Each structure stands twice: as structure tokens, then as C-alpha cells.
Amino acid sequence: EILSIMMEKVRKEKKQEEETKELSEREIEVLKLIAQEFSSEQIAEKLFISRRTVDTHRLHIFEKTKAKTIVGLIKFAIRNGLAE
């Protein structure tokens, strides 16, 4: 029974790795900040990039995660250990 639980955990971790592998490091940073309720302007300030760049990262995150709404992004972030 313990082996079964451990194997399931390993499978989940591997799936999480594969799902987040498509995102760049910067996209992961932006996603984490989105999950913390930062606005695009605040994210831009925090990462020393333009708001337009943040919006481009946001667009790419939506495309790569196949999320349709912010709620979908947050669910993705939580499922993959990028947010609490």
C-alpha cells in the first residue's frame, strides 16, 4: 500500500515537471506573481521590464497552459506547485 502511494506521488511530480517544462523561467516568475494578485504594472516594476513585455508573457502563459481565464491559470499554478 505504501509503495502504491509513493508511486502515485512520483507520477504526479513527473507530470508537474512535464507541464511546467514548456514555460520559460521568466514565464514561471510572471505566473507566480499573477497568482499572488500582482497587476501587470506591478509585475513590470518588480521584474524591471515593460508592461507590454508582461502582457506578452501573460499571453504565452495562457497559450502554453491552455487556460482560458485567470482562474484557470491559478488552478494550473496550484496544481504544479507554483502557488499556494
Side-chain angles (χ1 to χ4, degrees):
E1 191 175 314
I2 293 173
L3 181 59
S4 174
I5 293 169
M6 290 176 64
M7 291 301 291
E8 183 61 31
K9 184 174 180 173
V10 169
R11 279 189 212 109
K12 282 183 182 180
E13 288 174 359
K14 188 173 182 177
K15 184 179 177 191
Q16 287 174 346
E17 268 183 38
E18 289 172 4
E19 286 183 340
T20 58
K21 196 180 279 188
E22 288 188 27
L23 297 175
S24 70
E25 286 183 39
R26 184 61 98 178
E27 290 166 346
I28 290 172
E29 280 181 294
V30 170
L31 178 55
K32 286 179 178 179
L33 293 171
I34 290 170
Q36 294 175 26
E37 299 184 54
F38 284 92
S39 69
S40 290
E41 290 176 14
Q42 292 170 320
I43 294 170
E45 263 183 50
K46 201 166 194 59
L47 299 179
F48 304 104
I49 56 178
S50 74
R51 180 181 176 179
R52 186 170 178 168
T53 302
V54 172
D55 292 338
T56 300
H57 285 309
R58 190 184 288 257
L59 177 67
H60 291 158
I61 293 166
F62 270 106
E63 290 172 353
K64 290 178 180 182
T65 62
K66 297 178 178 74
K68 294 180 177 105
T69 64
I70 293 293
V71 173
L73 283 182
I74 303 304
K75 285 171 62 177
F76 177 88
I78 291 169
R79 188 173 59 242
N80 289 287
L82 302 173
E84 296 178 11

